[in-house]
Amino acid sequence: MSQEVGEIFGDGKGRATALLRSPTVIILAVGLWGMNVALFRLFGIDFAHVLTLDLIKEKEANAKDGSDGSDKEEGGSDLCSSAGGLSLEKKRHGHGHGTSSAPGSNSRTHPRHNTDNDVTAVKLILFSLSLLLLLHLSTVMWIDVIGGSTIGAIFAFYSAVIVGIALPVPSTVWIRNACATVFHRTFELVNPRCFCLRPGIPRAVPFIDVFFADAMCSLSKVFFDWGMLWHLAWHYPQSVPMELHSIAIPSIAASLPYLIRARQCIVMYTIGSMKSDPKRYQHMLNAIKYSTSLWPLIVSAYQKVVATEEEKATLDKVLIVLFAINSTYSLAWDIIMDWGMMQNPQAMVPESCAGGSMSTGSKPLSCAQSVLRPRLRFGASTSIGILLIDMVLRYSWLLRFWENDLFPNPDIYILCTQFLEAIRRSLWNLLRVEWENIKQTRGKETEQAEMIEMDPFLPVSAMAMSPRAPASKTKQES
C-alpha cells in the first residue's frame, strides 16, 4: 500500500490517491443516483413506491395481525419522502399525482406533503458538485496552506461535511432526512430478522434493504480504503508495519458488504424452506454468487504477504480464474434474475427474430422484447445499451493486463475501476428498479398475461388464475 502516491487535483504536492479515492467515489455515487432519479421520473417510474412497498405491506400486515410493527420499520412512509417520491400510503389518501382526496378526508388528518424536503435529481447533482469542491478546497488548504498531512486533510473534509449537514439550516433538511434513512437502513442490514427467543418465521428482507446492500457491494473498495485510512491514522506519524493485520483489516472491511448480502439471501432461503417455496433455491444460488466475490479478496490479501515472485505469479493466475468466475456468474444473474430478461430465449428467438412476429395478447412483440422481456419501460435500444455496457464493465478487471501502459501508478488504476463500478451500478439500478416495479404491478395491469408466457418458473396454478381465457389463447396461437 502506497501512502503518498499519485495526484488527483492539480499539481500540488503530497496528494495521496489511495486516501482521496474513497470520498471521490462516494461523491460520484451521489451524483449518479441523481441521474437515476431524473431518469426514473422521465420514464414515469415511481422508484420511491418500488423501494418502500415491502415496508408498507409489512406494516399493514402487522397492524392487521394486531401486533405492533412500528418499532421494526417505523416511519416507512417517511422513507419515500427521503427517496424523492410519494409513498403508497400518501397515494391512497389522495396526495399522489392525478388523484383526489378520499371522501370525508381532511387536511388535518392527512397534511399536505412538503415537496421542499424531497430528494430530487437537481439537489443530488448540486450536492455532489458541492462535495467535490469542498474536497478540493480541504486538501489544498490543509496540505498546501497549513502544511498538514493527507490524513489530516481527509479527516478535515469528513468533519466539514458532518458539521455542514448537522447545522439547522432549512435548505439542508432533505440531506438530514436522507442521512437518517441511510443510517436506519444500515442498522436494518445488521439487525437480526428472527424472533430469537420464540419460534416463528424470520422477517423477510424488504427490497429497499436488498437494493441498499447491493449498492454497498459496488463500494467494496471504498470500505477497503476506509479500513486503510483508519489503519494509517492509528499508526500515524509512523509508517504502517509490513504485517498481516496491515492488509487483513482493510480486506475484512471490503468483505462486509458481500457478507451482509449473502446473509440476506440465507435469511430468505430459510423463510422459503419454512413456507415450502419451490423457488427457495434461487436465494441459495444468489448467496453462492456473493461468495464468489469473497475469494478474490482472500487471495489478493494473501498475495500481499507472499515473499517470492514465483508464488505471486501463481496467485495472480488464480486471481484471474476467480475474477472470471465471479464476473460471468454475476453477469448472468444481472440479466436473468435482477432484470428478468432472457428467462426463456429458446422459445422466443426462432419465430420473432427470424422474420416472423410474436404477440402477447393483442400487441405484437419486437425481436428485442421477445429475447429480453415483453415489457421494457426504457425502450429496447436503451435496455440493450445498458445490458452491453454492464457486460463490458463486469470485466473491467481485465484492465490489469494493461495497467502499466494506461495508468501512472496502481492507485490510479484502482480509482479507475472504482469509477467504472459506480457507473455500472447506476445503470444496473435502472433496470433493477424497473423489473421490481413490473413484478409489483404484475397483477394490476394487462402485462400479467405477458409475464406468464415469459416466466418459466411460474407455477401451473398461477397460470390457471390468468385472466386470459384458454379459448382466446388457443385462437391466438393458431
Side-chain angles (χ1 to χ4, degrees):
M1 294 182 298
S2 54
Q3 300 181 30
E4 298 287 337
V5 294
E7 295 182 357
I8 293 183
F9 304 109
D11 298 324
K13 295 189 259 185
R15 301 294 194 271
T17 309
L19 298 181
L20 287 172
R21 65 190 178 207
S22 55
T24 307
V25 173
I26 294 175
I27 293 170
L28 175 65
V30 172
L32 289 173
W33 177 243
M35 179 204 71
N36 287 153
V37 171
L39 290 175
F40 287 140
R41 292 190 180 278
L42 178 64
F43 286 90
I45 298 177
D46 188 354
F47 69 96
H49 166 78
V50 175
L51 291 175
T52 57
L53 182 60
D54 288 345
L55 299 181
I56 296 172
K57 286 183 177 180
E58 182 181 15
K59 195 173 183 179
E60 291 176 347
N62 291 330
K64 185 177 180 180
D65 294 340
S67 60
D68 184 11
S70 60
D71 58 332
K72 296 178 182 178
E73 298 292 350
E74 185 177 1
S77 61
D78 293 339
L79 293 176
C80 293
S81 176
S82 63
L86 296 175
S87 69
L88 179 63
E89 289 181 322
K90 292 172 185 173
K91 288 185 176 181
R92 287 176 178 173
H93 297 315
H95 294 281
H97 296 294
T99 59
S100 59
S101 299
S105 63
N106 55 70
S107 58
R108 290 177 298 176
T109 305
H110 307 296
R112 182 176 294 275
H113 175 66
N114 185 8
T115 57
D116 293 337
N117 296 334
D118 283 348
V119 179
T120 64
V122 175
K123 290 180 180 178
L124 287 168
I125 294 174
L126 291 178
F127 181 54
S128 63
L129 293 176
S130 300
L131 290 177
L132 187 62
L133 178 61
L134 178 60
L135 178 61
H136 176 59
L137 294 177
S138 299
T139 54
V140 171
M141 293 294 295
W142 193 272
I143 298 175
D144 296 340
V145 178
I146 300 178
S149 64
T150 307
I151 296 178
I154 297 300
F155 280 107
F157 166 74
Y158 285 126
S159 300
V161 172
I162 294 173
V163 171
I165 294 175
L167 289 177
V169 180
S171 60
T172 59
V173 171
W174 68 274
I175 302 178
R176 289 190 288 275
N177 291 341
C179 291
T181 299
V182 170
F183 290 140
H184 185 195
R185 301 329 308 171
T186 302
F187 172 75
E188 287 298 325
L189 293 181
V190 298
N191 184 30
R193 308 194 68 83
C194 60
F195 295 97
C196 299
L197 298 180
R198 65 179 188 271
I201 298 178
R203 293 165 52 218
V205 181
F207 175 66
I208 188 173
D209 289 348
V210 172
F211 190 79
F212 186 44
D214 278 330
M216 289 175 55
C217 290
S218 289
L219 299 177
S220 173
K221 288 186 175 69
V222 172
F223 283 83
F224 182 94
D225 293 339
W226 281 344
M228 183 177 64
L229 174 62
W230 285 103
H231 207 59
L232 292 172
W234 179 265
H235 291 278
Y236 187 81
Q238 287 80 24
S239 60
V240 176
M242 294 298 295
E243 298 176 1
L244 180 61
H245 70 275
S246 300
I247 189 63
I249 293 176
S251 298
I252 292 174
S255 67
L256 289 178
Y258 302 112
L259 294 173
I260 291 173
R261 189 65 187 91
R263 172 183 171 272
Q264 290 179 338
C265 297
I266 294 174
V267 169
M268 295 305 297
Y269 175 80
T270 302
I271 295 174
S273 298
M274 292 181 175
K275 294 183 176 181
S276 300
D277 184 2
K279 296 183 182 181
R280 62 184 181 273
Y281 70 93
Q282 295 178 0
H283 299 294
M284 188 56 64
L285 292 177
N286 203 10
I288 295 174
K289 183 197 74 173
Y290 288 104
S291 70
T292 62
S293 300
L294 295 175
W295 290 109
L297 281 172
I298 296 173
V299 174
S300 179
Y302 177 69
Q303 190 182 33
K304 303 297 182 182
V305 298
V306 169
T308 64
E309 292 297 327
E310 183 179 354
E311 288 180 303
K312 290 183 178 180
T314 302
L315 291 175
D316 204 50
K317 296 177 182 178
V318 174
L319 268 178
I320 293 173
V321 174
L322 294 175
F323 282 140
I325 293 173
N326 173 253
S327 298
T328 306
Y329 198 155
S330 299
L331 176 62
W333 195 273
D334 285 347
I335 298 173
I336 300 174
M337 303 304 299
D338 290 340
W339 298 341
M341 297 177 175
M342 296 184 180
Q343 293 195 355
N344 191 15
Q346 293 83 359
M348 300 178 180
V349 174
E351 181 179 351
S352 61
C353 297
S357 64
M358 288 188 63
S359 63
T360 301
S362 59
K363 185 177 180 181
L365 297 180
S366 65
C367 177
Q369 289 175 312
S370 300
V371 175
L372 300 180
R373 50 175 152 80
R375 185 72 179 272
L376 298 172
R377 295 287 295 273
F378 294 103
S381 58
T382 301
S383 300
I384 293 174
I386 293 175
L387 190 152
L388 294 177
I389 294 174
D390 183 81
M391 183 183 303
V392 173
L393 295 183
R394 274 294 184 185
Y395 294 90
S396 60
W397 54 269
L398 291 173
L399 289 173
R400 66 190 286 120
F401 295 114
W402 298 276
E403 178 181 339
N404 295 330
D405 299 329
L406 298 176
F407 306 99
N409 55 66
D411 288 326
I412 294 293
Y413 160 71
I414 296 175
L415 178 64
C416 178
T417 57
Q418 287 178 293
F419 278 6
L420 294 177
E421 175 59 21
I423 295 172
R424 189 202 67 81
R425 178 61 63 180
S426 67
L427 297 175
W428 179 93
N429 290 341
L430 299 175
L431 297 184
R432 182 66 184 93
V433 173
E434 177 207 20
W435 175 236
E436 190 68 20
N437 183 37
I438 291 175
K439 291 193 297 182
Q440 290 175 355
T441 59
R442 179 179 292 174
K444 301 178 182 179
E445 300 179 1
T446 57
E447 80 257 18
Q448 182 180 19
E450 301 172 359
M451 293 297 105
I452 292 176
E453 283 190 4
M454 184 269 295
D455 193 348
F457 302 106
L458 201 62
V460 177
S461 59
M463 295 184 180
M465 296 172 62
S466 171
R468 185 171 51 183
S472 61
K473 179 179 179 182
T474 304
K475 183 179 180 181
Q476 291 172 6
E477 292 178 348
S478 62

